[in-house]
Amino acid sequence: MMSWADHPSTAVRAGRVAVRAAALACAVATLLGLGAPAAPAGAVHGYEVRVGPKVPGPIHIRMVLQEVPAGEVRLARAEPEERPGRRGAEVTVPLSDLVVTDAAGKPLPFESSGARCWIVRPQGARTLHVSYDVALEFTGKDDVLGLLFDPREALLYWVGREADPARLRLELPRGWKAASGLKSGKPAATFEAPDLEALFGSPLLLGPLHRTDFKLKGAVFSLVFHRRPDFDPHAVVARLKPIAQYQLGLFGVLPFERYAFLVLLQDERQWLSASGQACSSIYALSPCAFGATAGRRGAGRDAGRDPAHDGADSGAAEDGGAAGDRGVEGLFARELFRAWNSHFIRPLNPESATAVAAPARTRARWFTRGVSEYYAQRTLLKTGLAGEGRLLDEAARHLRYLEESPDYGQVSVARASWEDGTGSYPRQRRGVSPVSAGFLLGLILDIELLEHTRGTKSLDDVMKFLGWWFGTKQTGFNDNADLEKAVSTVAEHDFAPFFARHVEGTERLPVEETLGRIGYVVERRERTAPCPYQFLRHLSRAGLQTTTGWLRAVDEDNCLHAAGLRSGDRLVGILDVTVRDHKDMNALARAFLATWRRRAGSGTQEPVTVTYRRDSKLLKTAIALPSVSRKTVAFVPAPATGPGGQPARQAAYIRNWLAPAR
């Protein structure tokens, strides 16, 4: 077994220099229209994207392939990553919209080969021009629009040439800019990538843009909004900078020259994400996510956590979820940690050299995704942006999510990690969440390491060790076997039985036992509360047409029927939301949920009022929302045993672990 002593400080420093040099060589920076080096030599993937001149409207994409060999060329579209809670158009490229020509404009034959692949016959052409239109959803109001452009969903690629460099040039409406985690080139709004994995892992934000920077150890961190925010972005940056400082202290080096956190500002509370594996992530957030109360220190248990509002019905625990008032700090901490992970600690993908065709499949997804979620909360705790109550709240939420799965205790975390990447779970079945399992495994391993080493080592040391072990070699780890070796090496204790039982095996995680040793017990309750999601389901069951407000079929067991509405009635308004102002049910649902949460946050819990038209009469009624009963889980201090009413915690190193870093 490799020893912790096998990498003295001189080797670590040399390894860090090597990692930094390699990272800088393939860095993806966020520049807003600034000059940069020339395009990569020999680029064979060239993309031109035209937005406008009128927005919203279709987006035209032209793809230029160079150095085309004889034979056939396969074009494909990558499988989109599953992001629960994400909306945004699923880009489709109908065959009739696809045109392929040579450099002289001569049409070339092609044929479909499955739903996401086309075969082109170049007929001796050395350069191919491929053009098509896509329809993406613009966001904004008052003529200040923005656009999330995710290359993974919008761009075709040349199968077999994923490792070749790529160049992306955008033609934007007047006054618009582009921000991304890609290195910028010339002319303006041009970006370069060393390969397609970097390109597809770097979403772009398009719009007028407002950018605020801070620097850390020579790197530039950018907070970019699609429009000028109504709040002070410098105050937000002041809360984000300690997060970057803490995580920099964990790994010691930066894998990028620039990092961009991109935000589409929304009125509704949405959590649309396009997480990049390079140096940028993008979210659609409401201004309330940047409020002073978001991520407040010491947020208590169940604060604002009505189970009817926490999004669990829609799989919110997965990938961090869409739940609650978590604020931008937790999202930034998680995405920044993933950026470090993607450069330093990433699993080998046995099926592909890149993650272009489909998201990487691994039996260690619990570690790459779930432990990142744990470290987001760990970062907030150590930076003083949240108290231990929030960390325990998140642990309780993930435990509840696991316990609600019929597969928990029947399917191993490793198998669930693999099946999560393959989409083997039916959508209607809630399987074991690798994110929830990984969060809890990260918490358990952290405490176990502290106890085995009497507070001298923690999960931080495992992350440093993995970064040294694999970051210096610029390679990936071999799933759970290497993770177990790293934990055992740092702890100087054999963790193979633990991994055999709880990762590769089906034994349930010892969450209660582990937290019990540091003075907490689990408290389970049954709670019943009005559920706005159930109300939306009743609207959908009634066949509501948003453009007309017409209710096609109101059954007797529908809450609308109990309030007096009938088939053929036309809904005019729900609360303060006008039905006809929304083009589809998704848009109406977002507006309704935003209004409902705003009222719930102010303590207003009256029934939902709806206005409707029957014949020529305008009527109004109150609807009692359907209630749901759900089990809640919370970790509370154990009964006091010591003087002063202190809970039964052990050593000082546990208290230090739960305290902010000095």
Side-chain angles (χ1 to χ4, degrees):
M1 178 181 296
M2 184 178 293
S3 170
W4 178 254
D6 287 342
H7 58 94
S9 59
T10 54
V12 174
R13 284 195 296 268
R16 287 174 175 172
V17 170
V19 172
R20 193 164 195 173
L24 293 178
C26 63
V28 279
T30 301
L31 297 174
L32 304 179
L34 302 179
V44 296
H45 281 86
Y47 298 95
E48 295 179 2
V49 178
R50 186 173 72 244
V51 181
K54 291 185 178 181
V55 291
I59 298 171
H60 182 72
I61 297 176
R62 189 166 73 99
M63 178 183 181
V64 180
L65 306 182
Q66 302 171 357
E67 303 174 10
V68 177
E72 64 182 28
V73 172
R74 288 182 175 266
L75 303 177
R77 197 178 68 190
E79 292 286 344
E81 288 187 310
E82 288 294 330
R83 295 191 289 274
R86 128 190 174 336
R87 65 179 188 83
E90 169 68 24
V91 179
T92 57
V93 186
L95 194 61
S96 59
D97 290 347
L98 186 64
V99 177
V100 183
T101 67
D102 61 14
K106 176 185 176 182
L108 296 175
F110 62 89
E111 60 187 27
S112 175
S113 178
R116 310 183 73 87
C117 185
W118 294 264
I119 299 175
V120 180
R121 310 196 186 283
Q123 297 182 344
R126 294 286 293 166
T127 301
L128 299 183
H129 291 216
V130 183
S131 62
Y132 53 96
D133 290 339
V134 296
L136 293 176
E137 186 172 350
F138 290 77
T139 301
K141 66 174 186 177
D142 299 331
D143 297 325
V144 183
L145 294 175
L147 175 66
L148 158 65
F149 185 84
D150 191 347
R152 170 173 284 277
E153 295 182 348
L155 300 181
L156 300 179
Y157 70 94
W158 184 355
V159 177
R161 302 295 290 270
E162 295 88 346
D164 291 322
R167 178 183 176 95
L168 176 65
R169 180 180 177 182
L170 296 108
E171 182 181 329
L172 302 173
R174 184 186 298 273
W176 276 38
K177 300 175 183 177
S180 175
L182 295 168
K183 181 185 297 183
S184 71
K186 295 181 179 180
T190 299
F191 298 92
E192 301 163 359
D195 53 40
L196 284 186
E197 184 175 3
L199 176 65
F200 284 12
S202 301
L204 292 90
L205 179 62
L206 312 179
L209 302 190
H210 182 275
R211 164 180 162 180
T212 305
D213 294 341
F214 69 89
K215 292 185 178 180
L216 192 62
K217 205 172 181 178
V220 177
F221 293 75
S222 298
L223 174 64
V224 187
F225 299 96
H226 88 277
R227 60 171 173 83
R228 180 178 292 276
D230 298 329
F231 48 85
D232 182 8
H234 296 282
V236 179
V237 165
R239 301 203 303 271
L240 300 186
K241 188 173 182 179
I243 294 172
Q245 290 173 322
Y246 176 78
Q247 294 189 4
L248 173 60
L250 180 63
F251 287 103
V253 294
L254 291 164
F256 38 71
E257 289 181 306
R258 292 178 179 265
Y259 179 84
F261 191 77
L262 313 173
V263 179
L264 277 164
L265 283 174
Q266 301 279 57
D267 288 335
E268 301 93 359
R269 189 171 302 181
Q270 302 174 49
W271 302 88
L272 176 150
S273 70
S275 302
Q277 295 301 312
C279 298
S280 65
S281 296
I282 192 165
Y283 278 84
L285 302 173
S286 69
C288 67
F290 299 87
T293 59
R296 62 192 181 278
R297 183 173 179 174
R301 276 171 212 84
D302 294 326
R305 289 294 182 85
D306 190 323
H309 304 161
D310 67 1
D313 284 340
S314 57
E318 190 62 35
D319 203 21
D325 297 300
R326 291 191 221 169
V328 69
E329 296 93 339
L331 297 174
F332 180 77
R334 182 185 69 188
E335 295 304 324
L336 189 58
F337 190 84
R338 284 184 181 178
W340 257 291
N341 250 6
S342 67
H343 286 276
F344 289 158
I345 311 169
R346 56 189 299 174
L348 292 171
N349 183 1
E351 295 190 350
S352 173
T354 69
V356 171
R361 298 172 181 174
T362 171
R363 292 174 67 83
R365 189 176 177 88
W366 65 270
F367 180 83
T368 60
R369 305 302 289 272
V371 173
S372 293
E373 187 75 17
Y374 168 70
Y375 258 97
Q377 299 303 320
R378 176 92 177 121
T379 299
L380 298 183
L381 173 67
K382 300 309 289 184
T383 55
L385 292 168
E388 62 183 81
R390 172 152 168 177
L391 176 67
L392 295 172
D393 282 347
E394 289 299 298
R397 185 175 67 88
H398 286 292
L399 178 60
R400 175 178 63 80
Y401 192 84
L402 279 183
E403 291 179 342
E404 289 178 350
S405 168
D407 290 342
Y408 184 47
Q410 307 294 322
V411 175
S412 72
V413 174
R415 177 185 163 192
S417 294
W418 181 263
E419 292 182 344
D420 183 72
T422 60
S424 299
Y425 279 125
R427 286 189 175 273
Q428 65 272 21
R429 181 179 179 83
R430 176 176 289 184
V432 174
S433 164
V435 175
S436 291
F439 184 101
L440 296 172
L441 280 167
L443 175 63
I444 293 167
L445 287 171
D446 215 355
I447 297 173
E448 292 284 350
L449 282 159
L450 285 165
E451 293 190 325
H452 278 292
T453 63
R454 305 300 297 171
T456 61
K457 295 289 190 301
S458 69
L459 194 60
D460 287 359
D461 296 286
V462 174
M463 303 305 296
K464 294 175 184 177
F465 182 67
L466 288 168
W468 165 78
W469 191 2
F470 297 106
T472 54
K473 296 189 296 183
Q474 293 289 294
T475 186
F477 64 84
N478 186 21
D479 275 2
N480 296 311
D482 282 344
L483 295 178
E484 179 271 311
K485 289 178 184 177
V487 175
S488 297
T489 297
V490 170
E492 297 182 358
H493 173 82
D494 187 10
F495 270 80
F498 178 93
F499 274 72
R501 292 196 306 270
H502 302 298
V503 178
E504 296 292 344
T506 59
E507 191 171 322
R508 293 193 168 203
L509 305 182
V511 182
E512 297 179 44
E513 173 190 341
T514 303
L515 287 175
R517 297 202 304 269
I518 65 169
Y520 286 94
V521 296
V522 67
E523 183 181 83
R524 289 181 169 84
R525 294 180 180 178
E526 193 88 14
R527 293 183 62 182
T528 301
C531 181
Y533 298 98
Q534 291 291 336
F535 173 65
L536 291 171
R537 291 190 180 100
H538 282 231
L539 284 178
S540 180
R541 280 170 42 197
L544 173 63
Q545 292 184 349
T546 55
T547 53
T548 63
W550 181 41
L551 295 171
R552 289 182 294 182
V554 181
D555 299 330
E556 291 186 3
D557 59 349
N558 196 305
C559 68
L560 302 176
H561 189 279
L565 281 83
R566 298 293 183 265
S567 301
D569 290 344
R570 296 181 182 272
L571 276 185
V572 176
I574 306 172
L575 294 177
D576 299 328
V577 180
T578 302
V579 173
R580 287 191 176 185
D581 288 347
H582 300 85
K583 63 181 181 180
D584 56 33
M585 190 65 192
N586 287 334
L588 176 64
R590 291 193 298 271
F592 166 72
L593 289 173
T595 304
W596 164 265
R597 287 163 172 158
R598 185 169 60 250
R599 294 192 174 197
S602 64
T604 305
Q605 291 285 351
E606 72 269 11
V608 172
T609 57
V610 299
T611 306
Y612 64 99
R613 189 176 296 279
R614 178 177 295 168
D615 299 327
S616 59
K617 296 180 179 180
L618 189 64
L619 305 173
K620 180 178 289 189
T621 187
I623 295 180
L625 265 61
S627 295
V628 295
S629 179
R630 177 173 293 124
K631 295 179 180 178
T632 64
V633 177
F635 290 105
V636 298
T641 58
Q646 295 297 318
R649 288 185 186 155
Q650 292 88 3
Y653 59 76
I654 293 295
R655 293 193 294 271
N656 292 336
W657 174 72
L658 288 170
R662 295 179 181 177

